[in-house]
Amino acid sequence: MGLVLSREEADRRLARLGVEHEAIETSLLALQDHAGRRLLEGAELVGTTAERWTAAERELTALWACFEEWGKRLEDARAVRARRRFPGPGELSELAELLEEPPAGPPETADPPDTADASGPSGGWAAAVERLNTGYARVLEVVVAANAVWSALPARIDLLAAELRRLAELARSVGVRPGEHPAGDDLARVTEELTALRAEVLTDPLAFWRRAEGSGTPGAGRPDTERYDRAARLIEDIRREVEAVIAVRRDAEERLVRLRDILSRADRTLAEARTARGEVLARIAASEVPAVTGPASALREELTAAAEYRRDAQWHRLSPLLDSLEERAEQELERARDSLTAVTAPLAIRAELRGRLDAYRARAGRSDADADPELTRHYDTARRMLWSAPCDLRAAERAVIRYRMAAAERLAGGGGTAASPGAAPGTASGTASGTASGTIGTPGAGEAPGTPGDSGKER
């Protein structure tokens, strides 16, 4: 014989089950009216979404069947309770049977088998509520996930596709087309990717859903936007490339004029270097003068090609060519300047030696040391070497050094005899030598007469 409820227990159980029934009815109606469910019901689905929605539809049908059976038994129990204000033993026994035994469960395809065998006080109704809650959560997970993906991705893909169409029109206007420019190939590829992505999102939204790890809330997660983000980054790269081509179209003439000017300056510098080399070879003896190369004819040819690209409005070809030409033209100008510096170095050394000799003579003249015949002989020797052609720079340097050392000794000794060129300098002459030394250094004691000073080696 089953458990007989008291009147108070029966009333409390009826009230509790009524509240649960109403809450589950509200949830099921909300699920039935959910925008995601309506979209899933009318969509042509494939893949993961098709499989999960088929199972969710069976689950939802089972939930309504269980709910309706529960509602019928609840109405029967309310009818029994309404017979008398104070129910007798027969009514209480009938109420216990209706409120304790489990109502008919949903079809076994959607019902966990363990919950149908729940036992104990109110075990049947508790198992039914558990089945309803579990099934509701499974269906809600599918509905919410699909709706979240459809709400997030298709509209964003459409906006990105519209932006891509505008970019493609702009790219075509400047000659960026598939097969002719890398950015044109990228445009075609990203257009195909967005078309395929939109179709996949509409037919299989759950393939783009990433569930939140460790969360038990139905629908907790986020849409997977990795492919969309990758396409957006590629479009941004294409935009920068197209803008660079547009900038080339706007600035092409100015950049071409600047390139012609740089190459002309390089040619003039090389011509000056060739002239200077001839002068150096004629005026400086025993000097190694580097050869001067000719103008960069390849750059001239490429500059002509760039002008043709501009005339034919082939901006996508002109853009990389101008970038390359600008870099190499600057290098060519720098090379020409270095060449001029290298070939005129001997003339610069001779000019420096002349300046140093005049400076030493002026200092000696302030102290009347230049009246010394030996000092005058050293000066005349150095000057004759520096102002004659061809000039032997090494011998002229040694002559300037001998004059400087003789002048230093003459000043230090108060008019004594100038030291011979090969003599090691004393303290006074060493000091004068250190203060008067210029770019070309002074030979040290014991240095061979034919060896130039340290600075001469560096030059």
Side-chain angles (χ1 to χ4, degrees):
M1 184 175 181
L3 176 66
V4 178
L5 300 175
S6 65
R7 179 173 62 84
E8 292 79 6
E9 289 174 342
D11 289 344
R12 284 196 299 270
R13 192 158 297 176
L14 274 173
R16 178 173 57 80
L17 292 177
V19 171
E20 291 179 350
H21 179 270
E22 184 177 351
I24 291 180
E25 181 183 29
T26 300
S27 297
L28 287 176
L29 289 174
L31 182 59
Q32 195 73 17
D33 292 337
H34 198 286
R37 189 202 66 80
R38 293 197 298 271
L39 289 172
L40 284 166
E41 198 171 53
E44 296 182 2
L45 304 174
V46 297
T48 303
T49 306
E51 296 175 4
R52 292 186 62 184
W53 176 238
T54 299
E57 282 186 308
R58 291 197 302 266
E59 185 84 55
L60 189 58
T61 301
L63 291 177
W64 279 111
C66 180
F67 174 76
E68 289 171 0
E69 179 63 21
W70 183 17
K72 182 178 178 299
R73 291 176 66 86
L74 188 59
E75 288 301 320
D76 291 345
R78 285 171 175 165
V80 172
R81 178 63 185 86
R83 291 175 191 169
R84 295 183 183 183
R85 183 179 178 184
F86 297 100
E91 285 84 0
L92 292 174
S93 177
E94 190 175 354
L95 282 173
E97 181 180 353
L98 289 170
L99 298 178
E100 292 297 333
E101 292 184 4
E108 58 184 29
T109 56
D111 186 36
D114 296 341
T115 59
D117 298 330
S119 59
S122 70
W125 283 100
V129 171
E130 179 64 24
R131 287 199 301 275
L132 287 167
N133 287 334
T134 303
Y136 171 80
R138 285 198 291 264
V139 177
L140 185 63
E141 169 75 22
V142 174
V143 170
V144 170
N147 187 60
V149 172
W150 278 335
S151 299
L153 281 177
R156 295 172 67 183
I157 292 172
D158 290 342
L159 288 174
L160 193 60
E163 181 181 349
L164 181 60
R165 286 192 293 272
R166 291 191 294 270
L167 181 59
E169 293 176 2
L170 183 62
R172 283 193 295 272
S173 70
V174 294
V176 177
R177 297 181 178 87
E180 297 181 5
H181 192 281
D185 298 333
D186 291 341
L187 271 172
R189 185 167 60 253
V190 75
T191 300
E192 294 175 0
E193 168 64 10
L194 283 182
T195 301
L197 178 60
R198 191 179 193 281
E200 292 176 30
V201 167
L202 292 179
T203 56
D204 192 7
L206 295 186
F208 297 88
W209 179 252
R210 295 295 174 263
R211 198 172 189 280
E213 296 292 336
S215 175
T217 305
R222 62 174 182 83
D224 181 4
T225 61
E226 181 179 352
R227 287 176 60 183
Y228 169 86
D229 295 337
R230 186 165 57 246
R233 288 193 297 269
L234 181 56
I235 290 174
E236 186 60 30
D237 292 341
I238 297 171
R239 182 196 309 282
R240 284 195 291 268
E241 182 65 26
V242 171
E243 288 175 351
V245 173
I246 293 173
V248 167
R249 181 173 65 175
R250 183 182 61 247
D251 304 332
E253 182 59 30
E254 180 183 346
R255 293 173 70 181
L256 286 171
V257 170
R258 187 165 59 247
L259 277 170
R260 293 189 186 99
D261 177 64
I262 292 175
L263 291 180
S264 296
R265 287 157 57 193
D267 290 347
R268 290 195 302 270
T269 303
L270 287 175
E272 184 180 351
R274 283 191 291 273
T275 302
R277 185 173 187 273
E279 181 181 351
V280 169
L281 292 175
R283 297 184 179 183
I284 306 298
S287 177
E288 295 180 0
V289 184
V292 180
T293 60
S297 57
L299 289 180
R300 289 288 183 181
E301 294 173 0
E302 292 184 33
L303 186 59
T304 302
E308 292 177 357
Y309 287 153
R310 179 187 178 278
R311 185 170 54 254
D312 298 338
Q314 298 186 38
W315 310 113
H316 61 291
R317 298 182 186 276
L318 181 59
S319 176
L321 181 56
L322 281 180
D323 292 340
S324 173
L325 277 173
E326 286 173 339
E327 180 179 357
R328 288 182 293 152
E330 291 291 347
Q331 293 173 353
E332 176 66 14
L333 179 58
E334 187 65 25
R335 182 182 69 84
R337 288 170 175 168
D338 291 343
S339 181
L340 178 61
T341 300
V343 299
T344 56
L347 294 177
I349 294 174
R350 187 186 65 175
E352 182 181 355
L353 289 173
R354 287 176 174 179
R356 287 169 58 188
L357 180 63
D358 290 342
Y360 299 152
R361 176 63 180 272
R363 186 169 60 181
R366 286 194 295 270
S367 61
D368 296 330
D370 60 339
D372 186 282
E374 185 68 14
L375 193 58
T376 300
R377 182 179 64 80
H378 286 308
Y379 173 77
D380 291 341
T381 301
R383 192 177 191 288
R384 184 173 58 256
M385 289 182 177
L386 286 173
W387 267 267
S388 62
C391 172
D392 186 339
L393 288 180
R394 295 177 183 274
E397 180 187 10
R398 291 195 296 272
V400 170
I401 292 171
R402 282 195 294 270
Y403 176 73
R404 185 198 66 191
M405 294 174 63
E409 290 187 6
R410 175 70 175 80
L411 292 173
T417 305
S420 64
T427 304
S429 63
T431 304
S433 173
T435 56
S437 176
T439 303
I440 299 178
T442 304
E447 183 174 316
T451 304
D454 292 340
S455 300
K457 290 181 182 179
E458 291 178 2
R459 290 182 178 274

